[in-house]
């Protein structure tokens, strides 16, 4: 099974989320597919650089992966910003959520178990 990484970028007790537009849209942890020869951590750094123009340090996993299709499994990792300010490139909106605000968001279904875990860590 192939891996997709999501990245929960945390800063000052808040997490950065990105909104994917469209009929199947909703809030998600930004990220993308792990390319052949890459580790999850390398893919996370590359994807966040490409999507948000941020340099990050990847931390621990937010738990077991979640199948998002017959071919792909999503893994979400905590990360901190080393440099940069988030730039909106591939999503319709970016937002910093405090722990108390996480329930308010319309999260994509595969991201929801990670949101629950993240709430306990913020």
């Amino acid at each position: 099974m192939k891996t997709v990484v999501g990245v929960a970028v945390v800063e000052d007790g808040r997490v950065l989320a990105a909104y994917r537009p469209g009929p199947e849209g909703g809030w998600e942890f930004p990220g993308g597919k792990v390319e052949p020869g890459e580790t999850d951590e390398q893919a996370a750094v590359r994807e966040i650089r490409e999507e948000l123009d941020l340099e990050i340090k990847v931390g621990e996993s937010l738990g077991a992966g979640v199948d998002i299709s017959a071919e792909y499994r999503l893994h979400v990792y905590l990360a901190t910003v080393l440099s940069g300010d988030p730039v909106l490139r591939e999503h319709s909106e970016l937002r910093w959520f405090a722990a108390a605000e996480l329930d308010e968001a319309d999260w994509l279904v595969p991201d929801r178990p990670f949101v629950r875990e993240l709430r306990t860590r913020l």
Side-chain angles (χ1 to χ4, degrees):
M1 183 165 284
K2 297 178 183 173
T3 301
V4 173
V5 292
V7 182
V9 177
V10 176
E11 189 171 80
D12 298 326
R14 300 175 306 153
V15 64
L16 184 62
Y19 194 83
R20 181 185 296 178
E24 301 289 317
W27 290 103
E28 68 177 353
F29 296 110
K33 295 178 180 127
V34 177
E35 300 294 337
E38 271 185 327
T39 65
D40 287 6
E41 292 81 4
Q42 289 167 332
V45 168
R46 177 184 51 76
E47 286 286 347
I48 297 306
R49 185 182 300 131
E50 290 173 2
E51 288 186 19
L52 302 174
D53 202 25
L54 290 175
E55 294 299 325
I56 61 167
K57 178 178 184 196
V58 179
E60 62 186 2
S61 169
L62 280 176
V66 171
D67 291 347
I68 55 177
S69 71
E71 192 176 356
Y72 288 99
R73 178 173 288 147
L74 173 65
H75 290 270
V76 176
Y77 294 86
L78 290 170
T80 54
V81 176
L82 295 175
S83 66
D85 292 309
V87 175
L88 189 62
R89 288 190 173 145
E90 297 186 14
H91 297 86
S92 62
E93 186 179 349
L94 295 174
R95 179 176 164 194
W96 290 97
F97 286 91
E101 298 171 320
L102 287 172
D103 287 336
E104 300 171 15
D106 179 21
W107 289 85
L108 296 179
V109 171
D111 290 73
R112 291 177 187 170
F114 302 106
V115 171
R116 286 192 290 274
E117 177 59 28
L118 179 63
R119 208 170 37 241
T120 69
R121 298 188 190 204
L122 284 180

